[in-house]
Amino acid sequence: MDTVVAAPRALLGRTITGPASVRVRAGRIVEVVTGAPPEDAEVLTDGLLTPGLVDVQVNGAVGVDFAEVDDEGMRFVARSLPKTGVTRFLPTLITAPVPVALRQARAVLAASAALPDNPGARPLGVHLEGPFLSPQRPGVHDPALMVEPGPAEIDLLLADDLRPALRLVTLAPERPGGLAAVRRLSAAGVLVAVGHSDATGEQTRAAAEAGARMVTHLFNAQRPLGHREPGVPGVALVDDRFTLGLIADLAHVGPDVCRLVFNAAGHRVALVTDAVAAAGMPPGRYQLGGADVVLAEDGVPRSPEGTIAGSALTLDRAVRNIVSVGVDVADALAAATITPADAIGEPTLGRLAPGAVADLVWWDDDLRPRKVWVDGEVVFDAQVELSPELATAL
């Protein structure tokens, strides 16, 4: 049986238009039309209808660290994220010895496979952020655990049981073996991102030539932008081959620079949270890759030494933050939907179009999610009382 959702405004592609109606059948969008709603529609009287948000960098949330996740923890994250408009997410693991990282990745995939049929948001595989990073740009990653991406290490990543779910690898291409690793991973269908990198502009461009197509958390933990040596950000901002991951908590990257990034390359920006277990939680001590991080009253997680350690950001708040610095609403929402979906090769996600997965978000006029559908099924409704756990999370 079809379900039809009609809204006064909808994000179609990268443009807000309306009124529009979306017809859903068996978890897929089969028709999108503009104009007056059909008689069988659920009519949303105000607000905005968009695709579900896609977050391709999530280390954890609501007290759960993906480096130590179990079935229950994955279920809780999946049930919690729709409250923030997220319908698909990419669990991310930070630097660890290769055998440990692969064990953690397999645990993430096992917990994902154990999710019930209608769990809420759905994981998309795994993102390995390390260990092929630069000790010169470690952030909170342990430099002692970083290694060169040699052929043997890449062989382990491309093992038959892991390869289909390995969606994204962040590495420093200037390391010995880096460009060869980019070529092999890209040829195997893995999205490669430049991150935690001291690459020069020339080396960053070489990574693009080898197949790298993303930059992980632009400006953070990478050789900075200079007016003669552009570093990673300078090349990323002008090279159309790169999708730019941006943590828009306004702490990792300031408001003016966030606006600058959208002015320069807005159609290539993918908003990410880089969320850690502290996201959605009160101030306290949490875990990131097995290490302590402290969430203080300012809402920014830090290592005990004071280094920013991921974020406590949610993707709906990232959208609101970007709108608050002067970016158009449609551009901000596209950066959390169609751009990340396209970056990881998911053309049926992040859009309201025939054939797309029926992941929908109804937003109020303040850009807060009111209702969320995954595969055409309602997984969050702000007017329905939540369990105490979910009501306080995120």
Side-chain angles (χ1 to χ4, degrees):
M1 181 177 178
D2 291 0
T3 299
V4 182
V5 181
R9 298 182 301 147
L11 180 70
L12 302 183
R14 296 176 177 269
T15 303
I16 293 176
T17 188
S21 302
V22 176
R23 182 174 294 273
V24 175
R25 183 182 304 146
R28 294 274 177 163
I29 296 172
V30 295
E31 183 182 51
V32 179
V33 296
T34 57
E39 292 184 0
D40 58 343
E42 174 187 352
V43 179
L44 312 177
T45 57
D46 55 11
L48 171 67
L49 187 68
T50 75
L53 306 189
V54 180
D55 193 346
V56 298
Q57 189 173 6
V58 187
N59 307 284
V62 292
V64 177
D65 179 11
F66 285 136
E68 300 178 351
V69 74
D70 58 14
D71 293 359
E72 181 180 358
M74 184 64 77
R75 283 196 300 272
F76 191 49
V77 173
R79 295 200 324 268
S80 300
L81 287 179
K83 184 178 178 181
T84 72
V86 171
T87 57
R88 309 280 163 162
F89 64 101
L90 191 54
T92 300
L93 298 167
I94 70 166
T95 294
V98 173
V100 174
L102 298 183
R103 175 179 56 78
Q104 292 172 342
R106 290 184 170 97
V108 165
L109 298 176
S112 300
L115 286 170
D117 288 341
N118 190 18
R122 295 187 180 275
L124 292 168
V126 69
H127 169 190
L128 293 182
E129 187 185 354
F132 312 126
L133 309 179
S134 170
Q136 294 175 278
R137 304 287 176 180
V140 294
H141 294 234
D142 185 350
L145 302 180
M146 295 176 183
V147 297
E148 297 173 1
E153 287 75 19
I154 302 304
D155 284 344
L156 291 172
L157 265 62
L158 296 179
D160 290 345
D161 68 320
L162 186 60
R163 164 57 205 96
L166 181 61
R167 308 302 301 275
L168 175 57
V169 172
T170 294
L171 55 74
E174 74 278 11
R175 297 212 64 179
L179 292 180
V182 173
R183 293 187 192 98
R184 281 195 65 193
L185 291 166
S186 300
V190 179
L191 174 63
V192 179
V194 176
H196 288 271
S197 169
D198 197 45
T200 63
E202 182 179 353
Q203 290 168 323
T204 304
R205 196 169 284 110
E209 293 292 337
R213 290 295 179 263
M214 191 167 181
V215 172
T216 291
H217 43 56
L218 186 70
F219 288 106
N220 295 115
Q222 55 202 230
R223 181 186 287 259
L225 171 67
H227 65 290
R228 291 192 177 92
E229 167 47 63
V232 176
V235 168
L237 286 167
V238 299
D239 192 323
D240 287 342
R241 291 173 290 187
F242 284 115
T243 297
L244 313 179
L246 183 68
I247 306 171
D249 59 356
L250 308 185
H252 280 78
V253 180
D256 289 339
V257 178
C258 284
R259 176 68 182 270
L260 174 66
V261 170
F262 271 84
N263 284 351
H267 66 292
R268 295 189 285 114
V269 177
L271 294 177
V272 298
T273 60
D274 197 19
V276 301
M281 301 298 286
R285 190 174 293 267
Y286 300 94
Q287 293 285 297
L288 172 60
D292 284 345
V293 298
V294 179
L295 180 64
E297 294 292 342
D298 66 357
V300 180
R302 292 181 170 85
S303 70
E305 295 74 33
T307 303
I308 292 179
S311 86
L313 183 66
T314 59
L315 204 51
D316 62 325
R317 184 152 55 90
V319 170
R320 292 192 294 273
N321 285 346
I322 287 301
V323 171
S324 78
V325 305
V327 174
D328 179 75
V329 172
D331 292 337
L333 286 164
T337 54
I338 193 170
T339 302
D342 285 351
I344 61 169
E346 291 283 359
T348 64
L349 298 180
R351 66 205 73 213
L352 303 181
V357 171
D359 290 358
L360 315 173
V361 181
W362 175 28
W363 305 76
D364 68 17
D365 292 333
D366 295 322
L367 286 177
R368 297 182 183 277
R370 296 175 65 173
K371 197 169 185 178
V372 178
W373 296 254
V374 171
D375 291 325
E377 300 291 332
V378 176
V379 295
F380 169 72
D381 187 337
Q383 295 190 359
V384 175
E385 185 175 354
L386 298 174
S387 69
E389 279 185 313
L390 291 181
T392 56
L394 297 166

